[in-house]
Amino acid sequence: MHTLSTLPTPALLLDRGIAARNMARMQGHLAGVASGVLFRPHLKTAKSIAVADMLFGGGRHPITVSTLKEAELFGAAGFADILYAVGLSPQKIASVQALREKGINLTVVTDNIAMAAAICAAAPGGELPTLIELDVDGHRAGVAFDDGTALIAIAAALGPNFAGVMTHAGGSYALSDPDALAQAADLEAARAAAARHLLEQAGHACRIVSIGSTPTGNAVRNLDGVTEFRAGVFMFGDLVMHGVGVCPLEDIALSVLATVIGTYPDRGLVIVDAGWMALSRDRGTSGQAVDQGYGLVCAADGTVLDDVIVVQANQEHGVIGVRPGAAARLPDLQVGDRLRILPNHACATAAQHGWYNVVDSGSDRIAARWERFNGW
């Protein structure tokens, strides 16, 4: 088995001790807020059976996915209760039905009458349980949570397929104050519950109220009226979550191992063999108080190098330098030295790789290799 000094680079590292701590923290917080609310983790970040086994202790609990390929592969591994939390299109109805015929209780999502009617036409007996996506903060898709006319019309068009409502508090990613995060979390829950009330007043039984995000999961105080909570990136953490204020740097479980291939002290730069093909082009921290470039640089043992970031990413080259305006200096690095780079967005960086190289905190040995999958 490889060590950090012999592993071919660039390589995706997963510190399973940190990940386990992150998992336990989220699960414990949500259980403390409302023990009767189902936790339905989003596995779009992990895309790995091994990571799911770690999260659930080998059990097969309800999950959330973002692609039908995830639904297929997790379903084949025994996960039978799955929410596909991306708006459905007519072309995917047959694929959803095929997965359900394999015994997977797959629930889908829509926010418009046209798709609701298509679902009902394909499953007039209620064979495709569907949630109406709500907009509670103006972040992305969804029906306004207080637009009773639209909500009732979509529920009616779904007919017996209507199962409830769901929302994603994506607006929370723009916050950084703990009080603001808590308020956003409580508001998401309250607005989803308000939509449920509107629908039930009109005679549409709303058995599922599904909400969540990693920032609100760590901050929520009140889940009255909610039946299930979703979160995904909490397992790994990343620099965006650090900027939001819910993830200390020491709780980021993912990193990319890279090798120094060039040093340019006269220019204050170092080149590594991890460009955007290994790190992704995600620049999610660019709008935050601290811009982390294309990733924050650590020593091979995971020690953060203060204010040393990937300032530029080409396809296979990462350019490392000191954060603009900072007083830090680059460490004395030589060609062949190893560095770790913390990701801006765990989902995007992990998607560049086919497996996790699993490490244990304080050890340079690669303890395992866990496959992950991409695609749709």
Side-chain angles (χ1 to χ4, degrees), residues 165-207:
V165 296
M166 64 83 69
T167 186
H168 170 61
S172 65
Y173 283 60
L175 304 176
S176 59
D177 176 78
D179 289 337
L181 283 167
Q183 290 171 15
D186 293 345
L187 189 64
E188 178 193 22
R191 288 180 167 178
R196 177 187 195 173
H197 181 67
L198 285 172
L199 285 157
E200 291 190 334
Q201 275 193 317
H204 298 284
C206 189
R207 62 181 176 84

Side-chain angles (χ1 to χ4, degrees), residues 45-60:
T45 303
K47 295 183 188 286
S48 165
I49 305 302
V51 174
D53 284 341
M54 181 181 178
L55 175 63
F56 294 124
R60 293 294 181 259

Side-chain angles (χ1 to χ4, degrees), residues 265-312:
D266 56 324
R267 292 155 51 192
L269 298 174
V270 168
I271 307 295
V272 294
D273 61 353
W276 56 256
M277 285 291 285
L279 303 174
S280 88
R281 280 196 180 276
D282 193 284
R283 291 281 285 107
T285 63
S286 61
Q288 295 183 328
V290 178
D291 185 351
Q292 306 284 10
Y294 289 90
L296 182 62
V297 180
C298 304
D301 65 359
T303 302
V304 173
L305 303 178
D306 292 335
D307 291 318
V308 178
I309 63 174
V310 181
V311 296
Q312 177 183 329

Side-chain angles (χ1 to χ4, degrees), residues 120-362:
C120 193
E127 301 87 359
L128 289 183
T130 305
L131 305 183
I132 300 176
E133 185 169 6
L134 304 176
D135 175 8
V136 296
D137 58 12
H139 173 67
R140 196 167 57 192
V143 182
F145 74 96
D146 56 354
D147 187 346
T149 300
L151 289 170
I152 292 166
I154 296 171
L158 284 168
N161 298 286
F162 174 66
V165 296
M166 64 83 69
T167 186
H168 170 61
S172 65
Y173 283 60
L175 304 176
S176 59
D177 176 78
D179 289 337
L181 283 167
Q183 290 171 15
D186 293 345
L187 189 64
E188 178 193 22
R191 288 180 167 178
R196 177 187 195 173
H197 181 67
L198 285 172
L199 285 157
E200 291 190 334
Q201 275 193 317
H204 298 284
C206 189
R207 62 181 176 84
I208 297 172
V209 178
S210 181
I211 72 169
S213 71
T214 288
T216 54
N218 283 296
V220 69
R221 301 168 297 192
N222 187 350
L223 289 171
D224 289 349
V226 172
T227 66
E228 62 181 46
F229 197 96
R230 310 179 322 278
V233 77
F234 73 93
M235 292 179 275
F236 298 156
D238 57 27
L239 292 170
V240 168
M241 288 297 100
H242 175 66
V244 171
V246 299
C247 176
L249 292 176
E250 59 268 24
D251 285 347
I252 299 178
L254 275 190
S255 60
V256 173
L257 185 69
T259 303
V260 175
I261 58 174
T263 62
Y264 306 89
D266 56 324
R267 292 155 51 192
L269 298 174
V270 168
I271 307 295
V272 294
D273 61 353
W276 56 256
M277 285 291 285
L279 303 174
S280 88
R281 280 196 180 276
D282 193 284
R283 291 281 285 107
T285 63
S286 61
Q288 295 183 328
V290 178
D291 185 351
Q292 306 284 10
Y294 289 90
L296 182 62
V297 180
C298 304
D301 65 359
T303 302
V304 173
L305 303 178
D306 292 335
D307 291 318
V308 178
I309 63 174
V310 181
V311 296
Q312 177 183 329
N314 301 116
Q315 184 166 341
E316 301 295 352
H317 296 76
V319 182
I320 290 174
V322 173
R323 189 191 317 278
R329 297 174 60 87
L330 278 176
D332 183 19
L333 295 167
Q334 306 298 318
V335 171
D337 286 348
R338 295 290 173 99
L339 297 168
R340 294 195 203 186
I341 301 166
L342 301 181
N344 281 329
H345 185 180
C347 304
T349 296
Q352 308 303 305
H353 301 264
W355 55 83
Y356 301 98
N357 295 282
V358 181
V359 297
D360 294 309
S361 302

Side-chain angles (χ1 to χ4, degrees), residues 355-374:
W355 55 83
Y356 301 98
N357 295 282
V358 181
V359 297
D360 294 309
S361 302
S363 173
D364 70 347
R365 186 176 69 90
I366 307 303
R369 184 168 123 161
W370 291 350
E371 291 189 11
R372 66 181 310 284
F373 41 84
N374 289 317

